[in-house]
Amino acid sequence: MTKTPVSTSWRTRDDIASRPWGGTSREYDLFKELAVGLVVVGLLVLGLSALFSSPDEPSVTLKSWAQAQPADFVATATAELGGTSRTAGYGPPYNSTPDATQKLGPIDLQNLSGVRLPIDTANDFVIAPLQTLPTPPAAVKEWTTASDARHTEWTTAYGDALSKAPDNDPAKVAPGDYGPVPALTGALLGMAQQGALDPVLGAKGSFYNTDYKASILFLGDGSYFPALADAQHLTGDQWGMMNETGNYPGQSWLWLFSALYQVEPFKSAPNADVLVVFTMVILTLLLTLVPFIPGLRSLPRRIPVHRLIWRDYYKHR
């Protein structure tokens, strides 16, 4: 018995996709399309880029910070020594500060990875860099041989004195028992102003200077760097997560993340980051699983918006 072969050609099917086009048609000039796409659009992009492109701001370094605002640098170095800076209390992956993480009910995402990049702000940002100097200051030994309780006493007293000094100027601090803290912060300030601190924090014993984590964290703990970010509308109140230098829109693919930060309950939630990420995961799963979710996958048939878009095609069907 001979079986009739079943044709797999789409032309033999009797569905909409296999029927000949019955709507209007027009000539299509491929070369004209190519010219418009490459030449006209290219010139338009170049022209708009020249008018509206992002400004090229100079890099912010520890050297520029120390030279522009030495008082803020010294105050931040004191906080790093005392363990009271933002980085010192950040939590994982830098340290195990209690109650520093954001949680979603019982889920603590930040603690799942643990402390993978341990940072001791006093040692990593102040003491270790000073020990790389050809002649480390004697204050380093005094600090390293003292107890933690003594460290707290010195840094607390010096931090309070700095906040009360005129213009927070270290040179105008009232006399007191500050231990080696003024000498340590002063030596670190001089090191930064000479440009020696940037490569030390970045190199971490390596030949190439590729790890800017420590420098960025140190900069972020002060008020100089955040003030620059605020002046450039980079702190979140203008574009949310879509920040870019100046008053320019940033990455368009993050618009939904940014939009969530502007509405409740995300806007005022202390764990907004976790809530936004969790919400985006749910939305992404819903989008991915649309073909498998009954009811949701039938929406195109129930709400035939596509027929409005392709009305020329469907009016002949």
Side-chain angles (χ1 to χ4, degrees), residues 101-109 271 274-279:
T101 59
Q102 296 186 19
K103 299 179 181 179
L104 183 64
I107 302 174
D108 190 346
L109 298 176
N271 59 335
V274 175
L275 289 176
V276 169
V277 170
F278 181 76
T279 301

Side-chain angles (χ1 to χ4, degrees), residues 163-232:
S163 63
K164 297 175 182 177
D167 301 322
N168 305 122
D169 188 347
K172 300 176 182 178
V173 170
D177 182 14
Y178 311 128
V181 175
L184 292 173
T185 56
L188 193 71
L189 174 64
M191 189 177 178
Q193 289 177 331
Q194 294 171 8
L197 185 57
D198 287 287
V200 168
L201 282 186
K204 291 289 185 181
S206 303
F207 180 78
Y208 293 105
N209 181 18
T210 58
D211 186 359
Y212 297 97
K213 174 179 75 272
S215 299
I216 293 174
L217 290 173
F218 192 7
L219 277 166
D221 286 338
S223 60
Y224 174 71
F225 191 50
L228 293 177
D230 187 60
Q232 293 287 0

Side-chain angles (χ1 to χ4, degrees), residues 29-111:
D29 191 330
L30 181 61
F31 291 100
K32 182 185 294 184
E33 183 76 11
L34 182 65
V36 172
L38 294 181
V39 179
V40 177
V41 174
L43 292 175
L44 183 63
V45 168
L46 289 175
L48 292 176
S49 297
L51 291 174
F52 304 110
S53 62
S54 298
D56 185 13
E57 296 289 340
S59 300
V60 180
T61 63
L62 297 170
K63 179 180 179 180
S64 64
W65 174 27
Q67 291 178 342
Q69 292 189 9
D72 180 53
F73 183 92
V74 170
T76 305
T78 303
E80 306 293 9
L81 283 171
T84 58
S85 65
R86 280 187 289 254
T87 299
Y90 185 83
Y94 304 129
N95 47 61
S96 54
T97 305
D99 300 323
T101 59
Q102 296 186 19
K103 299 179 181 179
L104 183 64
I107 302 174
D108 190 346
L109 298 176
Q110 192 173 338
N111 264 322

Side-chain angles (χ1 to χ4, degrees), residues 287-303:
L287 181 62
T288 305
L289 299 175
V290 162
F292 308 100
I293 301 176
L296 191 59
R297 65 188 179 191
S298 303
L299 285 179
R301 289 195 298 269
R302 299 177 184 278
I303 310 175

